[in-house]
Amino acid sequence: MAIIKQYHKDTDTTYVYESISYWDEEKKQSRSKRRVIGKLDPVTGEIVPTGKRGRKSKNAGPEGDSAELARLYEESQARIRELSLETARKDAEISSLRKEIQDLKEAAARADRCLAQCRDILAGHMPRS
């Protein structure tokens, strides 16, 4: 991705584009897609957004936007707390299950040793035919 500046003589305006290059398999050539970001302010050198991304919403005023953002923020914070508690519970459960697995592995190893000892005992006392 690259940022391209292009001057338009007829309007005396410099537009700023986002350019993404890709390979065209059909033509076997490199191609690029451009999307306008905005106009370049000649005085400050800053990019002034144009198009839908740069327009203000008609329905929501600044008060409505900030109230909505505050509500969304609070909901997000509550959800984060909820998920953090759930994560802590899951971590504790995982830890408990890992301990149980370790205990079972140790019990299985003891059982294998006992079985091997029993086989050795039986092999030593078996009559040979």
Side-chain angles (χ1 to χ4, degrees), residues 68-110:
E68 178 69 11
L69 288 175
R71 185 187 64 77
L72 288 173
Y73 177 78
E74 289 303 320
E75 287 177 5
S76 298
Q77 291 300 314
R79 182 71 176 139
I80 288 170
R81 285 189 295 274
E82 193 178 297
L83 290 173
S84 294
L85 290 173
E86 186 178 341
T87 301
R89 283 192 297 270
K90 298 285 184 185
D91 285 345
E93 184 180 359
I94 288 170
S95 178
S96 170
L97 290 171
R98 284 187 175 153
K99 174 75 171 107
E100 187 178 343
I101 288 170
Q102 185 63 33
D103 292 346
L104 290 171
K105 282 181 180 179
E106 290 171 3
R110 284 192 304 272

Side-chain angles (χ1 to χ4, degrees), residues 48-62:
V48 179
T50 58
K52 291 182 181 178
R53 294 194 295 166
R55 293 185 193 144
K56 302 279 186 213
S57 173
K58 292 179 184 176
N59 298 336

Side-chain angles (χ1 to χ4, degrees), residues 60-68:
E63 300 83 22
D65 285 345
S66 62
E68 178 69 11

Side-chain angles (χ1 to χ4, degrees), residues 2-8 14-17 34 40 45 47:
I3 302 295
I4 307 293
K5 295 176 186 174
Q6 188 172 14
Y7 178 72
H8 292 247
T14 302
Y15 286 93
V16 181
Y17 297 89
R34 284 186 180 182
L40 191 65
I47 298 171

